Amino acid sequence: MPIGDFCAITSGFVWAISVILMRVSGFQIPPLPLNFFKSTVALACLALLHLALGENWWPELPEGAHLRIAISAIIGISLADTMIAAALNRLGASLQALADCLYSPVIITIGFIMFGETLNAWELIGGALVVSGVFVGAAMTAEIKQPRDLWVGIALAAGAHVLMALGILMVRDIYLEGPLVWITGYRFLIATIVILLWGIFRYRKAMPEVLFAGFRRRDTWLTTIPMAFFGPFLATLLWVTGFKYLIAGRAAIYNQLSTVFIIIMAYFFLKEKFTVRKAIGTVLALLGSILVATH
């Protein structure tokens, strides 16, 4: 199997593992401290990998690249990842996976707005199918505590995907030409610093106790450390590698398999119910994503 196909498929599977572990971790650690913990662990893993590769610690980048990477890190990791964790707490893993199908249409729409990339009829139909699938599958389940959490969770997930799309599209040219591990580590460094500053402002004197909850709660390390390793570290590297070796449409199809992986894992490991309505919504959303990615 070509390296691009392998990395794109594996990234979806690895991300699904991370989401399941994030769901379990979210029962005990709030979204912002959880994002701070996993970003810090991912940064440490990336630094060790960069050291092992023996690459330049300050490579030459195009003019303005550092500013774009910084903005990308803030909106795509600091904000978006915190919103994903918050949405996961409200929706559960399977409904969150369904909302993840918004990824492809959002990428296409942001590409149209930012770069003038045209939208054809198939892409519009696919986007409509995804949105309809999310709405069909969005039903109250045992994982959702209050009716308001359903739509707040979907709004958080949708907003996170918009921010993630903006974050990655604004630096895609830098990723394609520059050192993959260094750029990823640089993004996580900036994102982690921003989360730290955000925590200081938000929690003030209680910051050390609240923001560092992931480090203080050693009883959660069996889930939080693997979550950080599989998600922001390994899945990110695999996704970007797939993106470098494949056309965007082919990579998006493989990435969207994470929806299937998450729903299956949520059923077996989290005992979340897989209802008929969820099944119909998932089929519609996946079909829409494939249409978007292949046209």
Side-chain angles (χ1 to χ4, degrees):
M1 180 183 291
I3 186 172
D5 295 69
F6 174 80
C7 288
I9 293 172
T10 308
S11 69
F13 180 72
V14 171
W15 173 248
I17 295 174
S18 180
V19 167
I20 298 300
L21 293 172
M22 194 187 308
R23 171 60 170 163
V24 176
S25 303
F27 290 132
Q28 298 173 300
I29 302 175
L32 187 61
L34 189 62
N35 192 18
F36 180 70
F37 178 86
K38 68 186 183 70
S39 295
T40 304
V41 173
L43 176 61
C45 292
L46 288 163
L48 290 173
L49 178 58
H50 185 79
L51 182 64
L53 293 173
E55 296 179 345
N56 186 359
W57 283 96
W58 196 255
E60 185 176 345
L61 296 177
E63 185 178 353
H66 289 281
L67 177 60
R68 281 196 286 153
I69 292 173
I71 296 173
S72 168
I74 293 169
I75 65 175
I77 300 176
S78 301
L79 290 177
D81 281 8
T82 302
M83 292 167 68
I84 287 291
L88 190 58
N89 285 352
R90 288 170 171 82
L91 298 176
S94 53
L95 274 181
Q96 167 67 28
L98 186 58
D100 282 348
C101 290
L102 292 166
Y103 166 77
S104 294
V106 166
I107 287 285
I108 294 295
T109 303
I110 298 297
F112 170 72
I113 295 172
M114 291 180 65
F115 307 110
E117 297 175 350
T118 58
L119 294 168
N120 59 43
W122 285 111
E123 289 168 341
L124 292 173
I125 293 171
L129 281 172
V130 171
V131 174
S132 65
V134 172
F135 276 94
V136 168
M140 288 295 297
T141 61
E143 297 82 41
I144 301 175
K145 304 304 180 184
Q146 300 177 9
R148 180 173 177 271
D149 286 343
L150 176 64
W151 300 110
V152 171
I154 291 175
L156 284 169
H161 285 299
V162 171
L163 293 176
M164 289 169 65
L166 283 170
I168 199 62
L169 287 177
M170 69 187 299
V171 294
R172 65 178 179 178
D173 59 317
I174 304 174
Y175 259 120
L176 290 173
E177 301 296 332
L180 184 149
V181 175
W182 187 90
I183 295 171
T184 304
Y186 189 34
R187 289 183 76 222
F188 272 101
L189 173 63
I190 294 170
T192 303
I193 292 172
V194 169
I195 296 172
L196 178 62
L197 295 175
W198 184 1
I200 293 172
F201 176 78
R202 179 176 179 181
Y203 301 118
R204 301 186 184 278
K205 291 183 179 180
M207 187 277 291
E209 180 178 354
V210 178
L211 191 63
F212 287 85
F215 296 94
R216 295 164 61 89
R217 292 287 306 275
R218 296 185 181 181
D219 58 311
T220 66
W221 284 5
L222 284 177
T223 54
T224 55
I225 291 177
M227 171 205 67
F229 177 82
F230 283 116
F233 172 63
L234 189 55
T236 299
L237 289 179
L238 289 167
W239 181 83
V240 177
T241 303
F243 182 74
K244 290 188 72 167
Y245 288 100
L246 294 175
I247 60 173
R250 188 178 182 89
I253 294 173
Y254 289 143
N255 295 154
Q256 207 67 73
L257 288 173
S258 64
T259 297
V260 179
F261 295 141
I262 292 170
I263 289 174
I264 293 173
M265 290 182 188
Y267 175 79
F268 283 104
F269 297 109
L270 301 179
K271 307 303 179 184
E272 294 186 6
K273 291 184 178 180
F274 189 56
T275 63
V276 173
R277 186 164 175 171
K278 275 186 184 179
I280 295 172
T282 301
V283 170
L284 286 172
L286 284 174
L287 179 58
S289 296
I290 292 171
L291 283 177
V292 169
T294 54
H295 294 85

